Amino acid sequence: MLAETAALRLGTTVANTAAQLWLGGKRREQERRLPIEELARVRVPGVKFQRSVKRQFEQIADAVFDRVEPFLEHEFRALDESGRTAVIDAVCDTFERADLSDEALLAADAQPAELIRRITGTVRAPVGLSEPETRLYERLFAECVEYYVRIVRSLPVFEERALAELLARTATLGGEVARILERLPDRSLFAPDGMDQDTAFRRRYLELVSEDLDEVELFRRASDRAAAQVRLSVAYVSLRATGDDGTHRRRTARSLPQLRADMSDWEEAGSEGSGMRVEAALGGAARVLLRGEAGSGKTTLLRWLAVTAARGAFTGELADWNGLTPVFVKLREYSDRPLPTPEAMLDGVASPLTGIMPKGWVERQLEGGKALLLIDGVDELLDRERRGVRDWLRRLLTTYSGVQVVVTSRPAAAGADWLRREEFTALHLDRMTPPDLAAFVRQWHQAVRELGDELPCGADELPRYEQSLLTSLKDRAHLQSLAGTPLLAAMLCAMHLTRGSQLPRDRMELYRNALRTLVHDRDAHRNVPSAVESKLSLGDKLVVLRDLAWRLSNNNRSEIALERAAEYVGAKLTAMRHLDLMDGTQVLEQLRDRSGVLRAPAEGRLDFVHRTFQEYLAAEEAAEEDQIGNLVERAHLDLWRETIIMTAGHANSRQREELLGGILDRAQEDPRHARTLRLLAASCLETLPSVSEELGERLEAAVTQLLPARRKTDPPALAAVGPSLLRRMPRSLGELSEKAAVQTVRTVALIGGEEALGLLAGYVGDERYEVIGELIRAWGSFDAEAYAEQVLSRLPLAHRDLSLTHSGQWRSLHKLGPIGGLSISYPFAEFGALSELRPVTSLSLFGPRGEADLSVLRHHPSLTFFGLLGDIPLKHIEALGELRNLRYLFLDLGGTPRLDGSLRLERDASYVSIQNVSETTNLATLADSPGLDQVVLFTKDVCLPQGLSAVASLPGVSLVLNGIDVAAWLKTPEFLPPKVKQLTLRDCLLPNDPRALDFPGTRVRLS
């Protein structure tokens, strides 16, 4: 019996048994035992309703199938055909004989474990099964009972007098049950069940994580607070990450430049940019420091990792993480108190279970290398507390070295090298590119459907809202920049849906509108009783929230004890004389439950749902209470940057003069922080409505001192000032050094927009090599067609390489003249179209899709460099041998496991690097290329490729072997001592006797 057939039979058995209980009710036993078709015919009037019921329970059977089939696929390998059949027969037979009535369920308190105990005590166990068959039977039966109980508990009460209405409401029953079963942790090969306490507790813990963390709030509804959540696993959108050196982490011979995606192609479904998906980046490192700006999705990513680990549902690069136990630690909970010991790490997420946790359970997960430690929010602690986090991590990882760990922080709080001594890889969550934003908008509207009747519009109207928002984002550049993070993109989606397609003009208006919507309008407009009866106006609520935000920020906190917060609120209410005496605790609870900007992250604790709300409100309070001097004193601290920028927008003219004048005075007096302070003052230009002539001149002078950009770190810092900086950039690069000119071009490109494009077009004509190169690299930051027409078409490209990061650039190539080379670093699938290009001398493809027919290279006979790195099938490899000028070759055989000697190169070939070599790869023909200087071979798994001795016979060659079974090679009959000048062995399987590697005339290096 195949696993697929067995899983289908079990799914049908479970679903039919649930249908019999639901439809049979308290009818005669013989009627309840009828097949589902007969039972539906007896109990359900009308053919249409009968067919609907049958379809719903077939969908439920499919959901059980999806859960069981992967498990059986693995477990069936240990059994023969008769054993498999016997086990499935036994499970189905026990289901047939067991008392699964509603009375039995009630007697077991609808708990699967108790029901299993009752059934095994009353139903005779199957006979004739071997020990492995018995173990599988017990596990399968327990699994099916758990599915059965969850299905029955999800079924609505069946009442004949409301039959038609009930069945109409049941139209989506199968899908809802499938979602319930989908949330259960996977108990397959990756998460095996057992009988000991550790396994039982792990099962309960994973189920809690899977359910409790699988929530995300797309927007706040006007009814029950908890019901406003939708599944994170549905709403999650993959983001991109770069390495700490600013390049994307790829397993390639070259690093790719970090470029922004174009602005014309962002709406194309499935479009990809140049960044590496964060899941792929995480999969390549055991310890990761994940940095990202406010609202960039750090916490959401950690929650998704925890939920996916709990379900054993990782795929692709993270597939090896299946079987890990997620441990989610929110550092904000440990401000002013010791960081958690292992046994206390579950307190934040799984406090209901910690009382029954087996002693030492967390330590055993850590010790066995089975823990996925997710540590969130280094930036939410004070600087002195951050140092404690590093020491805590160092001690923890010294004790438990095999732990997979991801730590998150804002960049200002933790530099890329903050955990380098602890061997962490630093990654940065990029802002969403236009293709990412398009994917986010689509996924947001897909996920919001789950709110059903609570939607502010009909579900059939959602596609119209989605397309309208995509169009607005594409046409309005300032909205694209606002929506660069998931937090702000979600706000825009929610505003667009709930406010009749009205969108904000700038960041200050975005926060102002978001607060109005979340704090007041959403309830008031729908006549929610608590909003109607509340004695607090929108202004009153904001006054209270501003005061609370300032108190938190003033104490460098992002979280506060609920009791202390209530005291603050009570004191503020007392000062609001126009209000009747109100209880601070009650008002705080109402704001927490209804405002949408406060939440309780843990029992007895309170914080803002995102720190940007706290910063905006604290800024408004600072202006209201004239705390300008306080802000000037703190202007050099990264924690206060956003608050000060937004205070400049809230302030009156006198306060703006005091704030910016004070910051600029400090810049003159304090050389240590001068640059930071001038950048901050310049960044305030984003929110300033107006400034006096004198202050304007001082700001101009400050910006002048920052320009031109000279260091590599200058452009990102200057670009943060915003589009206002473009007016101060030079119209020509002639008076700048080449170094300064390059960084100026990069700064303009990072700011982006039409004005920036016009500025770069004016830089065309500068003939310096590096300047032209930077202008070429800026292509990815702009509309592909417009940039090609206004800039690239006017540059000398005949001997320059172009990098394509999305398909829109490919379509614009026809506007350009001859180019020297081409690098394509998006999922390029039109390999045959390479024949339409003018001949190039260099061609690289990173991560292509489909199939690569290398015969197309005959259209580029002058190729000197060719690289193809991606696991796709290769055809006509022999075409490489026809390229007479080819000197450098990088090739990936991941999609071509068998290579039969067709790889031949001309005499001039000097460098060859081949990845994913296997035991079926024949390399002997490389020996026919006497001009080779270096050959580098990589294997996916340790193996011995064919023809290695022939390659090693080339005198004068430097041969580098990665992952080769050298010990086996030395024992092969055709082995001859290598004649290469140098043999480098990395991660190879070596002979026990190192003297076996003493080859006359060959230098052997081990690394």
Side-chain angles (χ1 to χ4, degrees), residues 152 280 320 324 555 580 655 689 774 856 965 968:
V152 170
D320 290 342
L324 296 181
N555 289 289
D580 295 334
Q655 291 172 327
E774 197 62 41
V856 75
D965 190 345

Side-chain angles (χ1 to χ4, degrees), residues 52 87 161 178 340 349 477 610 667 671 700 739-740 898:
S52 176
V87 169
R161 63 178 180 273
V349 173
H610 201 278
E700 290 282 356
K739 186 177 181 180
R898 181 171 296 278

Side-chain angles (χ1 to χ4, degrees), residues 567-854:
E567 293 175 5
Y568 290 153
V569 171
K572 191 64 179 179
L573 290 170
T574 302
M576 299 167 70
R577 300 292 184 176
H578 66 286
L579 297 175
D580 295 334
L581 188 62
M582 303 177 72
D583 181 81
T585 300
Q586 292 180 355
V587 170
L588 183 62
E589 289 177 350
Q590 183 187 32
L591 289 173
R592 180 194 64 192
D593 295 341
R594 302 304 316 167
S595 74
V597 297
L598 293 178
R599 65 179 179 181
E603 187 68 28
R605 307 290 292 177
L606 186 81
D607 70 352
F608 285 84
V609 294
H610 201 278
R611 206 162 80 190
T612 48
F613 280 131
Q614 178 183 324
E615 290 164 337
Y616 175 89
L617 289 165
E620 190 172 11
E621 182 71 1
E624 181 70 22
E625 296 297 321
D626 204 19
Q627 296 281 354
I628 304 304
N630 194 327
L631 296 181
V632 171
E633 291 177 3
R634 300 175 175 182
H636 64 288
L637 300 174
D638 64 85
L639 278 172
W640 286 87
R641 182 181 185 276
E642 294 300 315
T643 301
I644 290 172
I645 290 172
M646 286 188 276
T647 300
H650 286 301
N652 59 37
S653 57
R654 178 192 61 79
Q655 291 172 327
R656 289 196 293 273
E657 297 284 331
E658 181 182 351
L659 177 64
L660 294 172
I663 292 172
L664 293 174
D665 288 343
R666 281 198 59 195
Q668 291 179 332
E669 299 163 2
D670 188 354
R672 293 177 305 163
H673 302 299
R675 183 172 180 79
T676 298
L677 292 167
R678 290 190 181 106
L679 279 170
L680 175 61
S683 297
C684 289
L685 291 168
E686 173 198 355
T687 60
L688 288 177
S690 64
V691 292
S692 68
E693 183 177 352
E694 180 183 355
L695 181 58
E697 290 176 354
R698 292 193 67 186
L699 286 170
E700 290 282 356
V703 173
T704 300
Q705 288 179 277
L706 296 170
L707 296 174
R710 290 184 174 87
R711 298 171 294 185
K712 289 184 178 180
T713 55
D714 286 349
L718 289 168
V721 173
S724 62
L725 187 69
L726 294 173
R727 296 191 294 274
R728 296 160 177 82
M729 302 299 281
R731 304 293 112 179
S732 168
L733 303 175
E735 296 182 3
L736 300 179
S737 67
E738 185 172 20
K739 186 177 181 180
V742 167
Q743 299 308 328
T744 297
V745 170
R746 185 166 175 241
T747 302
V748 173
L750 287 174
I751 294 173
E754 291 185 12
E755 186 178 353
L757 176 57
L759 200 56
L760 293 179
Y763 294 160
V764 173
D766 193 303
E767 298 180 353
R768 287 173 289 186
Y769 187 85
E770 293 297 334
V771 175
I772 294 174
E774 197 62 41
L775 286 170
I776 293 172
R777 284 188 287 274
W779 189 13
S781 298
F782 298 90
D783 178 281
E785 188 171 352
Y787 197 87
E789 182 176 343
Q790 297 182 42
V791 179
L792 293 181
S793 64
R794 299 163 53 207
L795 292 175
L797 302 177
H799 301 290
R800 307 301 292 257
D801 289 355
L802 295 185
S803 292
L804 307 189
T805 59
H806 54 83
S807 57
Q809 293 170 316
W810 171 263
R811 294 194 295 269
S812 301
L813 277 178
H814 70 279
K815 292 182 177 292
L816 308 178
I819 61 175
L822 192 64
S823 173
I824 303 176
S825 55
Y826 69 90
F828 183 76
E830 304 171 14
F831 210 82
L834 292 173
S835 62
E836 302 170 8
L837 287 178
R838 290 187 176 94
V840 295
T841 59
S842 173
L843 181 61
S844 306
L845 297 100
F846 299 94
R849 288 179 179 171
E851 182 180 72
D853 185 346
L854 299 188

Side-chain angles (χ1 to χ4, degrees), residues 901-969:
S902 55
L903 179 57
R904 298 177 182 274
L905 301 176
E906 284 290 330
R907 297 180 61 87
D908 288 342
S910 63
Y911 184 97
V912 174
S913 175
I914 305 179
Q915 293 193 16
N916 286 316
V917 170
S918 69
E919 65 274 4
T920 57
T921 302
N922 192 336
L923 302 168
T925 50
L926 286 178
D928 298 335
S929 304
L932 285 175
D933 293 325
Q934 187 166 7
V935 176
V936 183
L937 305 176
F938 296 86
T939 65
K940 184 176 182 180
D941 301 304
V942 175
C943 66
L944 176 60
Q946 301 172 27
L948 184 58
S949 292
V951 178
S953 68
L954 291 170
V957 168
S958 175
L959 178 61
V960 181
L961 304 181
N962 298 266
I964 300 293
D965 190 345
V966 175
W969 177 36

Side-chain angles (χ1 to χ4, degrees), residues 177-190:
V177 170
R179 285 195 290 271
I180 290 172
L181 298 187
E182 182 183 304
R183 285 184 170 216
L184 289 175
D186 180 43
R187 280 168 287 183
S188 67
L189 167 66
F190 304 118

